[in-house]
Amino acid sequence: MGGTQQVVVKERANKLPLFVTKEAKGKLAFRLFSSSIFVGICSIWAYRVVNIPRADEGGRWLWIGMLFAELGFGFYWILTQAIRWNVVRYRPLKLNLSQSSDDKLPGVDIFVCTTDPVVEPPTLVINTVLSAMSLNYPLEKLSVYLSDDGGSQLTFYAVVEAARFAKLWIPFCKEFNVEPRSPEAYFSHGFDVPEETSNTQQRRSIKEQYEDMVKRIEAVINKGSVPEEVKNQHKGFSQWNCNVTKQNHQPIVQVNKTHCIFHLIVVDGRDTDAVDSNGCRLPTLVYMAREKRPDRSHHFKAGAVNALIRVSSEISNGAIILGLDCDMYANNADSIKEALCFFMDGERGHQIAYVQHPQHFDNITKNDLYGNSSPVVNKVELHGIGGYGAALYCGTGCFHRRTSLCGSKYSEAYKGSWNWGMRKEDKRTVYELEEASKVLATCGYENGTQWGKEMGLVYGCPVEDVVTGLSIQCRGWKSVYYNPDNIAFQGVAPPTLDIALVQFTRWSDGLFQIFLSKYCPFIYGHNKIKLGAQMGYCVYLLWAPSSLPHLYYAIALPFSLFQGIPLFPQVSSIWFIPFAYVFISNNLFSIAEALIHGSTFKAWWNLQRIWLLRRTTSYFFAFVDCIVRQLGLSQTTFTLTAKVVTDDVSKRYHREIMDFGSTSIMFTVISTLTMVNLLSLVGIALKMFLWGSDVGKLMSQVVLCGLMVSVNAPVYEAMFLRKDKGRIPASVMFKSIALASLVLFCSFKVDPSM
C-alpha cells in the first residue's frame, strides 16, 4: 500500500506546474500614455513639414536636417514601444521540482571561455570555474569545461591549482550554504564571521588556503612561466613546447582527476575515487584549448563554444548547457534548479530552447557611473521582448537545451519525449576520451559541415550570441528571460569610460551587421517570430544608425544658436505644445521608471550622459566601421576588454570620478562637442547682455544647449579643473578647443540660406 501511495505522489509531482507567468501591472495606462506621445510626435513631424523655410530664407537646410533627425527619433521610439507593450515576468516553482528524484534531473555542462591570461587573469577565471563546480546540483551530473583560446600553460596551471582547492571549497560551500560561490567574491565582501567559533576557524583555514593558492598562481604569472618541478608533476604540461603560441597550437583536451594531482589535470567525475575532503564525488572538470593556426579562421568566441559543444558531447553530453564569461561567477547556488523549472515543466517546458539571465555586476557604484547596469533594462525592457517568447541570448548566464543549440527544429513531438536522467555509460579511459575529443577540436573538423551555420553558434558576426538566439527562435523554439531576486550570476563591469565605449562600439557594430545581413528580423523572422519580437530585436540592432540623428542634434543646435537661427516654435505658439509635451513627459516617465525599479536620480542623470556619449561616439564609429566593412574595405575583428585595472583607476571609479586618461579619438569627439555647446551658449549670452539681442525666439535651443552643458559637467571638469591621471590629456583638450572654435568661426562664412 505504501509503495502505491509513493507512485501516486510521484505522478502528481510530475503533473505539477514548474513555473508561472505574470503580466506586468499598468499595461493599459502605459498604452494610453504611449498613444498620447505618438500623437505628439506626429504633430512635431507635421510642424516640420508645414513650416519648411523657403529657398531664400535662412536655415532651410538646417531645418530639413532637423526633419530627418526627428523622423529618425520618432521611428526608433516606435520600435522601443514594442519592448514595453507586453512585459511578462516568469517565476519558477522550485519546491514542485524538488518533489522529483535526482535520477530524473538532466546532466548539466557548464562552459567557461577565456582567451588571454593578461587581459583575463587566471585568478579571475578559476573563481568562475570554482563557483560553477560548487553549485547545488548532483555532482555526478555536473561537468565544467574551460576553453582557453590562448592555449596558455599559465591558465592551465591555475586550473590545476583550482582543482586541488575544489576538494576543500565544494564541501565548505555545501556545509555553510555559502553565497556567492566564488571564493574571491565571498571573502572580499566580508562574508567571514568575526566571532571565534569552530565554524570561524574552518572558514579562516579555507580563506588562508585560498590566499596561498592565489599567491602561487600570481607568482607563476609574474614569472611568465611554470617552474620545471611543477611541470614534472603533471604530465598535462607535456602538451606545451617552444612552438606553442596563442595563435598557433595543436588541440589540447584533458580530463582531470583531483584525487591525484599527478594525473592529467582536473576531475573525471565518473571516477569514484575523485572525491572531496568529505569523501563526496566531485564534478567533472575539463580543460580545452582548441587547435589554432595562423592561416585558418577560428571565429573568435563562437568557434570556441562550438568546439566545447562537440568535446562535451563526447565526454559528458549533458542535456543542458550553461555558458558563462570568464568573469561571470555563480552567485545563486540554486540557479541550475531554478532554470530547470522552465525546461522540465510538463505543459510548456518542451517549447523552451534557452533561459537567459540578466547581466549583473558586483562592482557597480552607487550611482552607476558608466550606466553599466540599468535597472530599467533588466527589469522592463528585457522582460518586454521576453514576453513574445523571444528573449535575447546575451552570451553569458544562459542555460541552453543542447538539442536546440545543435540545430534541431522545434516539434510538438518533443512534448513528453525527454528522458532527462539518461546518461550514456562510457567505459573508456581518460586518455581515450581525451584523444577522441581532440579530433573534435581541430581546425579542419568543421569543413563541409553545418557548424557555424545551422549548428551551434552562428559565425561571421561579433555578437554571435544575439544572432544565434534569433536563428534558434526562427526554428520554432521559444526562450525565457528570467530575472531572479537572488542574482544568479555576477561579473565585472568596465571601470573606465574608454573600456565601456570600446565595448559598446563592438556590440553596436555587430548588432548592425545582423540588421544588414540575411538575419534581419523583419526578413529572416517574418512569419517565424511575432512582429513585436522583430521590432524588439531592432531596438538593439539599430543602435549604430541611431547615432546619426543624435549627432546631428548635438551639432545643429549649438551651430544654429550661434548663428541666431530658430529651429523650434516660440513658447507662445500652439506648435510649442507637442514639443514640450513629448520632451517633458518622456523624461518624467523615464525618471519615474528608474526610481520605481531601484535606481537613484543621480544614476538616471549619469545614464543620460552615458547614452549621449555612446550615441555620439561608440554608435557612430560602429556605424562607420560597419558600412566600410559592407563595402568590403575591412574585415571583422574582435577586441577584448580588460577585466583588471590599476589601483589608481579603481579608486577613481569607486569615488565616481570619470576616467578620461586616454588620447582616444572618442575623447576628442566628446570634448569637441561639449566645447561647441559651451562656446555657443557663451556666445548667445554675450549677445544678450552686451548688445541687447533678443533671444526669445531661440529659447528652446538655449535650454537644450544648457542641458547638454549641464549633463557634460564632468567633461569640463576633466578638461579644466582636474590634475589627476584621469583628466583629459592636454593634447586632447587643445585639439578640441581648436576644432570647436574652427567650427563656430566657419559658421559665419556659411551662406545664411542654410
Side-chain angles (χ1 to χ4, degrees):
M1 187 70 178
T4 305
Q5 288 178 342
Q6 288 180 355
V7 171
V8 171
V9 169
K10 288 183 177 180
E11 288 179 353
R12 287 177 180 173
N14 292 334
K15 294 180 180 179
L16 289 173
L18 295 182
F19 72 93
V20 293
T21 305
K22 292 185 177 181
E23 293 187 352
K25 298 178 181 178
K27 183 179 292 187
L28 178 61
F30 171 77
R31 291 182 176 182
L32 290 173
F33 171 75
S34 178
S35 300
S36 70
I37 294 292
F38 179 68
V39 172
I41 290 173
C42 290
S43 301
I44 291 172
W45 290 342
Y47 170 76
R48 289 292 179 202
V49 172
V50 169
N51 294 281
I52 295 177
R54 296 190 301 271
D56 59 343
E57 292 181 326
R60 176 179 173 84
W61 291 108
L62 276 172
W63 190 280
I64 292 174
M66 293 293 285
L67 170 61
F68 281 106
E70 284 160 358
L71 283 171
F73 286 142
F75 284 123
Y76 189 79
W77 176 86
I78 291 171
L79 292 177
T80 64
Q81 299 314 288
I83 56 179
R84 284 177 164 78
W85 207 256
N86 189 39
V87 177
V88 168
R89 294 181 172 84
Y90 299 96
R91 184 168 64 88
L93 303 175
K94 194 170 57 176
L95 289 178
N96 289 353
L97 179 67
S98 65
Q99 296 185 35
S100 300
S101 66
D102 286 353
D103 292 339
K104 294 187 177 181
L105 296 177
V108 176
D109 293 343
I110 302 177
F111 296 170
V112 180
C113 295
T114 185
T115 300
D116 190 322
V118 176
V119 180
E120 299 167 338
T123 50
L124 180 76
V125 176
I126 63 167
N127 268 278
T128 298
V129 170
L130 286 166
S131 71
M133 292 178 71
S134 57
L135 287 169
N136 289 341
Y137 201 69
L139 297 181
E140 69 277 7
K141 297 195 174 197
L142 184 63
S143 302
V144 180
Y145 294 79
L146 175 65
S147 168
D148 177 18
D149 247 14
S152 170
Q153 59 179 321
L154 301 180
T155 302
F156 180 78
Y157 170 72
V159 173
V160 172
E161 288 284 358
R164 183 189 313 184
F165 181 70
K167 296 166 61 178
L168 304 173
W169 178 247
I170 293 175
F172 173 73
C173 290
K174 307 290 185 181
E175 182 177 353
F176 295 103
N177 196 24
V178 166
E179 285 187 352
R181 291 279 156 120
S182 157
E184 180 66 31
Y186 177 74
F187 292 124
S188 65
H189 287 92
F191 287 96
D192 217 343
V193 180
E195 292 83 5
E196 277 296 335
T197 63
S198 58
N199 291 348
T200 307
Q201 293 171 4
Q202 186 175 352
R203 292 172 188 237
R204 185 177 293 117
S205 173
I206 293 290
K207 183 178 181 180
E208 289 173 353
Q209 293 186 66
Y210 169 71
E211 291 172 345
D212 289 342
M213 177 189 69
V214 170
K215 288 177 182 177
R216 290 193 298 272
I217 294 172
E218 290 181 344
V220 168
I221 293 171
N222 292 334
K223 184 180 178 182
S225 63
V226 180
E228 287 299 322
E229 60 270 21
V230 175
K231 290 183 180 180
N232 294 334
Q233 293 176 350
H234 304 271
K235 69 176 184 178
F237 285 105
S238 63
Q239 299 288 330
W240 279 267
N241 55 50
C242 60
N243 297 320
V244 172
T245 65
K246 179 179 178 180
Q247 298 296 336
N248 188 12
H249 57 80
Q250 76 281 9
I252 303 171
V253 179
Q254 300 192 351
V255 183
N256 285 358
K257 300 182 178 182
T258 48
H259 72 288
C260 178
I261 62 173
F262 300 100
H263 256 65
L264 301 182
I265 11 179
V266 213
V267 188
D268 178 10
R270 306 169 305 159
D271 191 339
T272 55
D273 292 328
V275 295
D276 61 29
S277 58
N278 287 348
C280 299
R281 289 180 62 175
L282 290 166
T284 298
L285 178 57
V286 179
Y287 172 94
M288 182 200 80
R290 62 187 172 125
E291 182 182 24
K292 294 177 77 173
R293 302 299 178 192
D295 59 339
R296 302 294 294 271
S297 176
H298 54 83
H299 303 294
F300 311 109
K301 181 181 176 181
V305 173
N306 285 348
L308 281 174
I309 294 172
R310 296 191 297 271
V311 168
S312 65
S313 68
E314 187 73 21
I315 297 173
S316 54
N317 199 33
I320 301 296
I321 293 172
L322 166 62
L324 295 175
D325 283 348
C326 66
D327 63 332
M328 190 69 66
Y329 63 82
N331 181 73
N332 179 355
D334 290 323
S335 56
I336 294 179
K337 290 187 177 180
E338 289 182 1
L340 288 182
C341 289
F342 299 103
F343 291 110
M344 298 180 70
D345 181 78
E347 290 298 318
R348 294 178 287 172
H350 64 289
Q351 303 172 347
I352 296 171
Y354 62 84
V355 177
Q356 176 67 60
H357 288 75
Q359 293 192 42
H360 287 285
F361 308 100
D362 67 356
N363 63 331
I364 295 296
T365 60
K366 178 183 177 182
N367 298 301
D368 199 3
L369 181 61
Y370 297 125
N372 289 312
S373 184
S374 170
V376 172
V377 172
N378 288 337
K379 296 181 180 180
V380 180
E381 293 186 6
L382 295 178
H383 277 291
I385 191 169
Y388 301 104
L392 296 180
Y393 169 32
C394 300
T396 183
C398 188
F399 290 86
H400 281 274
R401 187 186 298 265
R402 181 182 288 269
T403 51
S404 65
L405 192 57
C406 290
S408 296
K409 293 183 178 180
Y410 171 73
S411 169
E412 277 294 328
Y414 283 124
K415 186 173 184 179
S417 65
W418 299 100
N419 196 343
W420 294 102
M422 287 291 290
R423 184 167 180 172
K424 182 175 63 177
E425 189 69 27
D426 198 329
K427 298 184 181 298
R428 287 178 292 177
T429 65
V430 169
Y431 175 78
E432 291 171 336
L433 278 175
E434 290 171 351
E435 292 304 306
S437 300
K438 286 179 183 178
V439 177
L440 305 176
T442 58
C443 290
Y445 182 83
E446 294 180 348
N447 293 345
T449 71
Q450 290 299 307
W451 284 101
K453 300 173 185 176
E454 297 297 326
M455 297 177 67
L457 269 63
V458 176
Y459 293 158
C461 178
V463 284
E464 65 287 319
D465 38 25
V466 175
V467 70
T468 299
L470 175 61
S471 65
I472 289 173
Q473 291 156 6
C474 289
R475 292 198 294 267
W477 296 95
K478 295 187 182 301
S479 56
V480 167
Y481 173 75
Y482 173 49
N483 185 11
D485 294 330
N486 185 9
I487 295 172
F489 308 102
Q490 294 210 88
V492 180
T496 71
L497 181 60
D498 189 26
I499 295 174
L501 293 179
V502 167
Q503 188 178 69
F504 271 90
T505 301
R506 186 182 78 228
W507 288 346
S508 50
D509 181 3
L511 291 167
F512 192 41
Q513 281 187 47
I514 297 174
F515 185 81
L516 296 179
S517 72
K518 71 172 186 177
Y519 292 103
C520 175
F522 291 125
I523 299 172
Y524 190 72
H526 181 62
N527 289 332
K528 296 176 183 176
I529 59 175
K530 295 178 180 179
L531 177 61
Q534 297 171 30
M535 295 171 65
Y537 265 101
C538 288
V539 170
Y540 305 99
L541 303 191
L542 294 177
W543 271 352
S546 73
S547 65
L548 299 180
H550 286 92
L551 194 58
Y552 183 83
Y553 247 68
I555 297 172
L557 287 179
F559 190 81
S560 60
L561 181 61
F562 202 75
Q563 283 196 317
I565 300 173
L567 294 178
F568 296 94
Q570 295 189 41
V571 176
S572 58
S573 170
I574 193 172
W575 285 109
F576 179 76
I577 296 175
F579 282 92
Y581 177 72
V582 170
F583 179 78
I584 295 173
S585 298
N586 259 332
N587 280 286
L588 288 177
F589 177 80
S590 177
I591 293 170
E593 192 176 46
L595 296 177
I596 288 171
H597 291 100
S599 191
T600 65
F601 178 78
K602 188 174 181 180
W604 175 86
W605 185 249
N606 287 341
L607 185 60
Q608 306 315 299
R609 180 189 310 114
I610 292 301
W611 273 117
L612 177 63
L613 300 184
R614 289 174 187 166
R615 287 163 175 160
T616 53
T617 56
S618 297
Y619 295 176
F620 177 69
F621 284 111
F623 176 79
V624 173
D625 288 346
C626 192
I627 295 301
V628 168
R629 190 176 301 106
Q630 292 295 316
L631 296 175
L633 301 178
S634 70
Q635 294 183 339
T636 298
T637 59
F638 187 87
T639 305
L640 277 177
T641 50
K643 302 296 190 297
V644 292
V645 291
T646 63
D647 290 339
D648 187 44
V649 172
S650 182
K651 287 178 182 177
R652 283 195 294 273
Y653 174 68
H654 289 291
R655 290 169 58 197
E656 297 197 330
I657 299 174
M658 296 189 73
D659 204 300
F660 296 92
S662 166
T663 56
S664 167
I665 189 174
M666 292 192 191
F667 291 165
T668 302
V669 173
I670 290 169
S671 302
T672 301
L673 289 176
T674 54
M675 285 307 302
V676 166
N677 278 274
L678 180 62
L679 291 176
S680 66
L681 208 58
V682 170
I684 199 68
L686 290 175
K687 288 181 182 181
M688 182 173 63
F689 291 111
L690 297 183
W691 295 288
S693 300
D694 181 14
V695 297
K697 60 183 180 180
L698 301 172
M699 190 53 64
S700 295
Q701 283 142 275
V702 170
V703 171
L704 291 175
C705 283
L707 288 172
M708 287 279 286
V709 170
S710 298
V711 80
N712 285 312
V715 181
Y716 301 117
E717 183 183 359
M719 290 178 72
F720 303 118
L721 302 178
R722 286 169 54 184
K723 302 298 181 183
D724 56 75
K725 293 181 180 179
R727 68 185 184 277
I728 291 178
S731 59
V732 174
M733 180 183 70
F734 289 125
K735 192 187 304 181
S736 301
I737 293 173
L739 287 171
S741 302
L742 182 63
V743 168
L744 294 178
F745 175 76
C746 289
S747 69
F748 287 114
K749 306 295 183 182
V750 178
D751 181 24
S753 66
M754 74 169 293

